[in-house]
Amino acid sequence: MSVKSVVSDVSPVGRARRQPGEPLGAFLGRKAGAYVALTKPRVIELLLVTTLPTMIFAERGFPDIWLVIATLVGGAMAAGASGSFNCYIDREADRLMRRTQGRPLVTGDVTPREALVFSWLLAVSSIAVLWAGANLLTAALGVAAILLYVVFYTLILKRRTSQNIVWGGIAGCMPVPIAWAAVTNTLEWPVLILFLLIFLWTPPHYWPLSMKYSEDYLAARIPMLGAIAGARTVSIQVVLYAWATVVCSLLLAPMGYAGIVYTVLAAVSGAWFVYESHVLYREARREHDPVDMNRKAMKVFHISITYLTIVFVALAIDPFVGQPLFG
């Protein structure tokens, strides 16, 4: 079945209002679920995985609990606002992609106006929380994060270059400086290393996903590298970026910031990530079945998430176990 044939059967059904015979509780629950879906909660989860460990690492211990709560809540709200703005801007493209046809603006559970008002309220509230709960620098970085994702990535880069996710991925790096600034009210060298770590990690994380959903991106005319380039080309880039990511992660040790726990876990999980990236490249060089290739690409996608989680969990544990290896 083609993408076009699926799209022709899917259109907004006008469910933004309470339907005849629909219980009030069911309507309110559906509406609340739709607003939550606008924020892309899975993306928020991944961003928060990097926030708390960075705060612990910056503090070299556990920070004040209220500061942690304010930073996590404000950061989640900023990420949610960015996701909601993205859903509003990309609502027409989302109708053309199987992967996004269940989003609230496509199904009609939320109107464009409701989504836009919600996005602005969430964005303004997030900055207020970060400013009141942390400091002005943290709030300013929150503003930068929203602008990078909504304007720099969604409006400018996404439809103009196959490298969109590389530079647009800068927005996904922002939880690190936000977390560090919340604790220290400044930015230091470890922030740059962790920022670059996520920056380099984003392409080998996202490009395998775009390989699987290449038809979606082509239908929506979004030039993701995984959609417009062959599997061999994409897999080479995945390998190169995976190596760069792991090397960058290990810089914390020789620079005198990380101890044995972080260094060992980052090295071991990094070796696994690099190995699976090479497996993807090896398979791409052969005559491959598209279904099997997509399965291997998604394996790298999921491993990349596990890898980043392990690295940042190690970052959180490291201050409590021993001293930095150097320095």
Side-chain angles (χ1 to χ4, degrees):
M1 184 181 293
S2 68
V3 174
K4 289 184 178 180
S5 65
V6 174
V7 173
S8 64
D9 295 329
V10 180
S11 59
V13 293
R15 296 175 3 122
R17 295 184 178 183
R18 185 179 176 185
Q19 301 298 293
E22 182 179 20
L24 178 60
F27 167 70
L28 294 176
R30 177 169 60 82
K31 201 73 172 178
Y35 280 115
V36 170
L38 282 176
T39 67
K40 299 186 179 181
R42 287 178 134 185
V43 176
I44 293 176
E45 290 174 10
L46 193 57
L47 295 176
L48 294 182
V49 163
T50 65
T51 302
L52 180 57
T54 302
M55 295 184 73
I56 294 173
F57 194 71
E59 181 71 28
R60 303 302 298 179
F62 202 86
D64 176 77
I65 187 63
W66 294 113
L67 177 64
V68 170
I69 292 173
T71 306
L72 291 177
V73 171
M77 292 171 69
S82 299
S84 185
F85 275 121
N86 177 268
C87 286
Y88 172 79
I89 295 166
D90 281 348
R91 61 191 184 279
E92 296 304 324
D94 286 345
R95 299 185 200 282
L96 303 175
M97 301 171 64
R98 287 179 181 151
R99 186 170 67 91
T100 56
Q101 286 178 353
R103 288 181 176 172
L105 282 165
V106 178
T107 63
D109 284 314
V110 175
T111 67
R113 178 181 175 81
E114 288 173 339
L116 186 59
V117 170
F118 174 71
S119 302
W120 275 109
L121 287 174
L122 201 58
V124 172
S125 299
S126 71
I127 304 310
V129 170
L130 290 173
W131 193 347
N135 50 62
L136 179 57
L137 176 59
T138 304
L141 291 169
V143 173
I146 294 172
L147 292 176
L148 281 167
Y149 189 77
V150 177
V151 179
F152 187 56
Y153 171 63
T154 305
L155 289 175
I156 298 176
L157 291 175
K158 192 170 184 177
R159 290 168 176 78
R160 287 180 169 85
T161 172
S162 62
Q163 299 296 303
N164 47 22
I165 200 64
V166 177
W167 300 107
I170 293 174
C173 306
M174 292 305 292
V176 165
I178 287 172
W180 196 279
V183 172
T184 67
N185 200 20
T186 188
L187 298 175
E188 300 169 278
W189 282 110
V191 175
L192 177 61
I193 297 173
L194 294 172
F195 185 96
L196 288 175
L197 163 62
I198 301 174
F199 175 78
L200 294 168
W201 168 86
T202 302
H205 163 67
Y206 202 86
W207 279 337
L209 180 71
S210 68
M211 290 172 68
K212 178 177 180 179
Y213 293 104
S214 59
E215 289 189 10
D216 276 3
Y217 288 113
L218 290 173
R221 298 182 179 180
I222 298 174
M224 287 290 176
L225 185 69
I228 65 174
R232 182 179 298 188
T233 299
V234 178
S235 61
I236 289 174
Q237 294 296 311
V238 169
V239 168
L240 293 175
Y241 272 102
W243 271 104
T245 301
V246 175
V247 170
C248 181
S249 73
L250 296 175
L251 290 178
L252 284 175
M255 291 186 69
Y257 296 110
I260 188 66
V261 171
Y262 173 84
T263 304
V264 170
L265 288 178
V268 172
S269 61
W272 179 38
F273 182 28
V274 167
Y275 171 76
E276 292 295 345
S277 299
H278 276 278
V279 170
L280 179 65
Y281 171 62
R282 183 187 66 202
E283 295 301 319
R285 292 177 61 188
R286 302 173 179 174
E287 291 293 330
H288 56 271
D289 174 64
V291 175
D292 188 53
M293 195 68 230
N294 287 339
R295 181 177 61 82
K296 288 181 170 60
M298 289 305 294
K299 183 178 181 181
V300 174
F301 169 77
H302 290 297
I303 286 172
S304 70
I305 297 174
T306 304
Y307 161 74
L308 192 72
T309 302
I310 291 173
V311 168
F312 275 86
V313 168
L315 192 74
I317 296 172
D318 199 73
F320 301 101
V321 183
Q323 299 295 320
L325 290 177
F326 302 94

